[in-house]
Amino acid sequence: MPRNLCGVSSKQPLLDPELAAFLSSRAARIAELRGWPPRTVGSMGRGIRILCAVQRPGERIRASTIAQLTHTAVPANHVLKVFEGLEVFLDDRPDSLDRWYHKHFAFLAPDIRAELDTWIGLLRDGTSRRRPRARSTIGTLLRLVLPFLTEYGGKYTTLRQVTRDDLATWLTNRPYRAYEASALRSLFGALKAERLIFSNPMRGIKGGRLTTTIPSPLTAEEVAEVAQAAQQDPALRVVVALSGIHALAAHQIRTLLLDQVDLAGCRLELESLNRPLDEYTAEAITDYLDYRRSRWPNSTNPHLLVSRNTATTTTAVGTFWLDKLVQPLPVGLDRLRQDRILEEALASGADPLHLAHVFSLGAKTSLRYTTAVAPSAAEHETP
């Protein structure tokens, strides 16, 4: 039965003293490795005693029970780190994607739900010919097929009843026709491959081309505002340098490791990139590391950028933290990155192979940038 920690004190007699001693020793080792401050270690010990005051010997401790420690001012996420990988731990946390899926698709017929479950399973686990899709991609695909199923789902008991005319009619005036057609093609293609439908109703239906934007350079005023805002925060200055000079994407900046920055050798070494480290970026990273050491002296997080929540963990900063950090900038990180690539495209004579090599871009992306600067390059070559 689920445990209720309301009113439980850390001073109560322990039902499993041996487990409490083992967990306390394990917490101390993890705290030393992660650089947790003494206050956090003390709260951890109090949380472990609370759990061992209600859990009987041999009883598995649930993640949902540990989560209740948050109401007692104990960092439950740190306590979970102590229990991860132990046989006594039972992870009963609901999957957020599953919870969202069951909430928004509950109105569908049982057979349609079963067919969708098969599709989601293929996306998550992959096949011998298809690699598993990212969690964010699965969520996007589900959101794209939801409008069609919301409008037509009540007419069907199974997706075998969906006709080509239904899909073509529905897609006619959709604002995101290309994206929704792609998601529906994935759904019905997977069901046809698993022989759950007789024929693929999306076969022959063209979704149109995906909308592409033309990259545009920053204005002189925007560059000045970015430079001024970057001076106010050492972390923001690093982000601006990595995006505006090295054209790193947001996820690359968030997950950049300390080992990938060689200040002594003035190199930036990512998985697909190995380039010199310019003076501005090296100075920005050096200043930020000084700030990081003074703010979180015991942090052992391997990532370059850390926050208050990640300094005592090994995880990268989240997208919410990065979005909040760049709010003072007049433009987003995508515009900074685009401006840098456009600058390189113009300097290299609009050579797509050069851009692909320097920034690890795909063929279509490289051509998109070279096409944007082609008229400017031609003007520079005109005698």
Side-chain angles (χ1 to χ4, degrees), residues 20-37 40-42 44-45 48 78 81-82:
F22 168 76
L23 293 174
S24 298
S25 176
R26 180 180 170 87
R29 292 196 304 269
I30 296 177
E32 184 178 359
L33 291 174
R34 302 284 175 84
W36 291 347
T40 300
V41 177
M44 290 273 297
I48 290 173
H78 287 70
K81 294 295 183 182
V82 177

Side-chain angles (χ1 to χ4, degrees), residues 132-188:
R133 307 301 294 271
R135 180 187 179 88
S136 58
T137 302
I138 298 174
T140 300
L141 291 173
L142 287 173
R143 287 180 176 85
L144 288 171
V145 301
L146 180 59
F148 172 77
L149 294 176
T150 301
E151 187 172 341
Y152 281 83
K155 302 178 182 179
Y156 310 128
T157 58
T158 173
L159 293 179
R160 289 193 296 269
Q161 299 171 331
V162 179
T163 65
R164 186 177 184 277
D165 290 340
D166 291 338
L167 292 167
T169 302
W170 184 79
L171 287 169
T172 300
N173 297 317
R174 295 297 300 175
Y176 305 104
R177 173 187 172 94
Y179 298 96
E180 291 168 331
S182 177
L184 290 169
R185 191 173 294 110
S186 171
L187 168 61
F188 289 103

Side-chain angles (χ1 to χ4, degrees), residues 160-238:
R160 289 193 296 269
Q161 299 171 331
V162 179
T163 65
R164 186 177 184 277
D165 290 340
D166 291 338
L167 292 167
T169 302
W170 184 79
L171 287 169
T172 300
N173 297 317
R174 295 297 300 175
Y176 305 104
R177 173 187 172 94
Y179 298 96
E180 291 168 331
S182 177
L184 290 169
R185 191 173 294 110
S186 171
L187 168 61
F188 289 103
L191 297 182
K192 179 63 171 64
E194 294 297 310
R195 300 183 179 181
L196 295 178
I197 58 178
F198 302 114
S199 61
N200 185 349
M202 279 297 297
R203 186 178 180 86
I205 297 180
K206 296 182 179 180
R209 294 184 177 181
L210 300 178
T211 56
T212 57
T213 58
I214 300 176
S216 58
L218 299 179
T219 63
E221 292 77 10
E222 290 173 334
V223 172
E225 291 180 22
V226 168
Q228 183 177 1
Q231 297 299 325
Q232 309 304 317
D233 190 321
L236 181 57
R237 188 182 177 198
V238 171

Side-chain angles (χ1 to χ4, degrees), residues 246 260 262 265-277 357-358 360:
H246 296 274
Q260 295 173 325
D262 183 7
C266 293
R267 302 293 299 180
L268 188 63
E269 302 175 358
L270 278 74
E271 294 181 357
S272 57
L273 297 173
N274 189 323
R275 61 180 59 170
L277 200 61
H357 173 71
V358 173
S360 296

